[in-house]
Amino acid sequence: MIKKTLEDLKDLQEIFNKKFKLEEQLAELPKEITNKEEVVVRLKEDFLSINEQFNLQKEEVNRKRDELSDLQSYRSKLEKEIAHVNHQRDYEKIDKSIKENQENEQLVLRECASQEKKLENLREELSSAESLLREQENDLNTTKTSSEQKINEFEQQISELKKQESVVATELDENLVFKFERIIRSKPGNGVVPIRKNVCYGCYMQLTQQFVNKVYRGDEILTCPHCSKIVYYDGDNDDDEVKSAEIAGLQDLMNSGNIEIDDFDDSDFEQFIQNDDIGSDTYVPALNSEDDEPVDEDDEEVEERDEDNAEFEEEFSEEFAEEEEVELEE
């Protein structure tokens, strides 16, 4: 019965692992979309910020161009006026204004060129930001379409696995299935693991011989005290390995230092595992020497020994009473 339960749990384990992996992938799909949406939002913000800077810079360039145009118009006006001047003083005055205007024109012209260069840089940056934004938007739309297809596929596969799970779980105890599902979900690796050489192959921790013996007997479903995974004995019913495990259990009882494992013979071992009580805390040593063998006594010897014991007790009682009287008199 236990063997069948373990086989069912192994089948269920495979189903759970596939289902949980699909559920994890299904849970990751919305995260991927959310991440791409956040990227698109940031790129839009960057694009709008650059576009705002571009528009401000464009206004500054236009302002400088208008300023340069006004200076050029004023210079042209002065040049026309100087052509009709008759007096030297007026000529010098207008000529001075023309020269000052020309200096201002050169200054504004340089400023205008600088502002136009900034504008061109922003135009390239804006174009790059727009291209990147369009690329990410297209990628987001592609991901959404692909995710929808994957979601449908994963949901169908999960639904099929749940049907298989239902079939296997009908043969098992409901509480056992519930606990086993939690084990598979929370613990890495398999939920049903073997015990080899007194070591749990789920967490690789050493187990007590008493616990290993209980697992070996296979009377119940047991879990590792360290990792909580369901364990089974993986000795393939090999007599040598079982006997080694039993001797290891016997060794645990000899930690006093006065008894060595070599002091026990085959009869000791057989008595240690009597009635298949492997790992029992009670050890009954075998009678393996002449001094330990029981002696047959007849009724007369027993009666004589009992009379001797009775006389000794009577004499001891009388002596004890006399000593008590002496002490009282003193």
Side-chain angles (χ1 to χ4, degrees), residues 299-315:
D299 294 339
E300 291 182 0
E301 291 176 342
V302 173
E303 185 176 351
E304 184 180 348
R305 185 185 61 196
D306 292 342
E307 288 177 357
D308 292 339
N309 290 338
E311 288 177 3
F312 173 77
E313 290 177 359
E314 185 177 352
E315 290 175 2

Short mmCIF file of all heavy atoms in Angstrom, two decimals, residues 299-315:
data_model
loop_
_atom_site.label_atom_id
_atom_site.label_comp_id
_atom_site.label_asym_id
_atom_site.label_seq_id
_atom_site.Cartn_x
_atom_site.Cartn_y
_atom_site.Cartn_z
N ASP A 299 14.65 -29.74 43.70
CA ASP A 299 13.81 -29.14 44.74
C ASP A 299 14.52 -29.11 46.09
O ASP A 299 14.35 -28.15 46.88
CB ASP A 299 12.50 -29.91 44.88
CG ASP A 299 11.67 -29.77 43.61
OD1 ASP A 299 11.94 -28.79 42.86
OD2 ASP A 299 10.77 -30.60 43.36
N GLU A 300 15.33 -30.12 46.43
CA GLU A 300 15.99 -30.17 47.73
C GLU A 300 17.02 -29.04 47.85
O GLU A 300 17.13 -28.39 48.89
CB GLU A 300 16.69 -31.52 47.90
CG GLU A 300 15.71 -32.70 48.06
CD GLU A 300 16.44 -34.02 48.27
OE1 GLU A 300 17.71 -33.97 48.29
OE2 GLU A 300 15.76 -35.04 48.42
N GLU A 301 17.78 -28.81 46.77
CA GLU A 301 18.77 -27.73 46.79
C GLU A 301 18.12 -26.38 46.97
O GLU A 301 18.60 -25.52 47.70
CB GLU A 301 19.61 -27.77 45.52
CG GLU A 301 20.53 -28.98 45.44
CD GLU A 301 21.28 -29.02 44.12
OE1 GLU A 301 20.83 -28.33 43.18
OE2 GLU A 301 22.30 -29.72 44.02
N VAL A 302 16.99 -26.19 46.29
CA VAL A 302 16.27 -24.92 46.40
C VAL A 302 15.76 -24.73 47.82
O VAL A 302 15.85 -23.65 48.42
CB VAL A 302 15.10 -24.89 45.40
CG1 VAL A 302 14.24 -23.66 45.65
CG2 VAL A 302 15.63 -24.90 43.98
N GLU A 303 15.21 -25.82 48.40
CA GLU A 303 14.65 -25.73 49.76
C GLU A 303 15.76 -25.44 50.76
O GLU A 303 15.60 -24.63 51.68
CB GLU A 303 13.94 -27.04 50.11
CG GLU A 303 13.22 -27.00 51.45
CD GLU A 303 12.45 -28.29 51.71
OE1 GLU A 303 12.34 -29.11 50.78
OE2 GLU A 303 11.97 -28.43 52.83
N GLU A 304 16.93 -26.12 50.62
CA GLU A 304 18.05 -25.90 51.53
C GLU A 304 18.57 -24.47 51.45
O GLU A 304 18.87 -23.84 52.47
CB GLU A 304 19.17 -26.89 51.18
CG GLU A 304 20.36 -26.80 52.14
CD GLU A 304 21.44 -27.79 51.77
OE1 GLU A 304 21.18 -28.69 50.91
OE2 GLU A 304 22.55 -27.68 52.31
N ARG A 305 18.64 -23.95 50.23
CA ARG A 305 19.11 -22.58 50.07
C ARG A 305 18.15 -21.58 50.70
O ARG A 305 18.56 -20.63 51.37
CB ARG A 305 19.25 -22.27 48.57
CG ARG A 305 19.87 -20.89 48.30
CD ARG A 305 19.87 -20.61 46.83
NE ARG A 305 18.49 -20.61 46.36
CZ ARG A 305 18.15 -20.71 45.06
NH1 ARG A 305 19.08 -20.86 44.16
NH2 ARG A 305 16.89 -20.69 44.71
N ASP A 306 16.85 -21.81 50.57
CA ASP A 306 15.87 -20.92 51.17
C ASP A 306 15.95 -20.96 52.68
O ASP A 306 15.76 -19.93 53.36
CB ASP A 306 14.46 -21.31 50.70
CG ASP A 306 14.26 -21.03 49.22
OD1 ASP A 306 15.07 -20.23 48.67
OD2 ASP A 306 13.31 -21.58 48.62
N GLU A 307 16.18 -22.17 53.32
CA GLU A 307 16.29 -22.27 54.77
C GLU A 307 17.50 -21.51 55.27
O GLU A 307 17.45 -20.82 56.30
CB GLU A 307 16.39 -23.75 55.17
CG GLU A 307 15.07 -24.52 54.99
CD GLU A 307 15.23 -26.00 55.32
OE1 GLU A 307 16.37 -26.42 55.62
OE2 GLU A 307 14.21 -26.70 55.26
N ASP A 308 18.64 -21.62 54.56
CA ASP A 308 19.84 -20.89 54.94
C ASP A 308 19.61 -19.39 54.92
O ASP A 308 20.03 -18.66 55.83
CB ASP A 308 20.99 -21.23 54.01
CG ASP A 308 21.46 -22.68 54.19
OD1 ASP A 308 21.18 -23.24 55.25
OD2 ASP A 308 22.11 -23.19 53.24
N ASN A 309 18.91 -18.93 53.92
CA ASN A 309 18.60 -17.51 53.82
C ASN A 309 17.71 -17.06 54.96
O ASN A 309 17.86 -15.97 55.52
CB ASN A 309 17.92 -17.20 52.48
CG ASN A 309 18.86 -17.33 51.31
OD1 ASN A 309 20.08 -17.25 51.49
ND2 ASN A 309 18.31 -17.55 50.13
N ALA A 310 16.74 -17.90 55.34
CA ALA A 310 15.83 -17.55 56.43
C ALA A 310 16.58 -17.46 57.75
O ALA A 310 16.34 -16.56 58.57
CB ALA A 310 14.70 -18.58 56.51
N GLU A 311 17.51 -18.43 58.04
CA GLU A 311 18.28 -18.42 59.30
C GLU A 311 19.16 -17.16 59.36
O GLU A 311 19.30 -16.52 60.40
CB GLU A 311 19.16 -19.66 59.36
CG GLU A 311 18.37 -20.95 59.60
CD GLU A 311 19.27 -22.18 59.59
OE1 GLU A 311 20.52 -21.97 59.43
OE2 GLU A 311 18.75 -23.29 59.72
N PHE A 312 19.76 -16.79 58.21
CA PHE A 312 20.62 -15.60 58.17
C PHE A 312 19.82 -14.34 58.48
O PHE A 312 20.24 -13.49 59.26
CB PHE A 312 21.27 -15.48 56.78
CG PHE A 312 22.04 -14.20 56.61
CD1 PHE A 312 23.32 -14.05 57.18
CD2 PHE A 312 21.48 -13.14 55.91
CE1 PHE A 312 23.99 -12.87 57.02
CE2 PHE A 312 22.18 -11.96 55.76
CZ PHE A 312 23.44 -11.82 56.30
N GLU A 313 18.62 -14.24 57.94
CA GLU A 313 17.79 -13.08 58.19
C GLU A 313 17.37 -13.01 59.65
O GLU A 313 17.30 -11.93 60.25
CB GLU A 313 16.55 -13.13 57.29
CG GLU A 313 16.87 -12.90 55.81
CD GLU A 313 15.64 -13.03 54.93
OE1 GLU A 313 14.56 -13.33 55.49
OE2 GLU A 313 15.77 -12.85 53.70
N GLU A 314 17.08 -14.19 60.27
CA GLU A 314 16.65 -14.22 61.67
C GLU A 314 17.79 -13.78 62.58
O GLU A 314 17.61 -12.98 63.51
CB GLU A 314 16.19 -15.63 62.05
CG GLU A 314 15.60 -15.72 63.45
CD GLU A 314 15.08 -17.12 63.75
OE1 GLU A 314 15.04 -17.95 62.80
OE2 GLU A 314 14.70 -17.37 64.88
N GLU A 315 19.03 -14.30 62.34
CA GLU A 315 20.19 -13.93 63.15
C GLU A 315 20.49 -12.43 63.01
O GLU A 315 20.80 -11.75 63.98
CB GLU A 315 21.40 -14.74 62.71
CG GLU A 315 21.30 -16.22 63.06
CD GLU A 315 22.48 -17.01 62.51
OE1 GLU A 315 23.37 -16.36 61.88
OE2 GLU A 315 22.51 -18.23 62.70
#
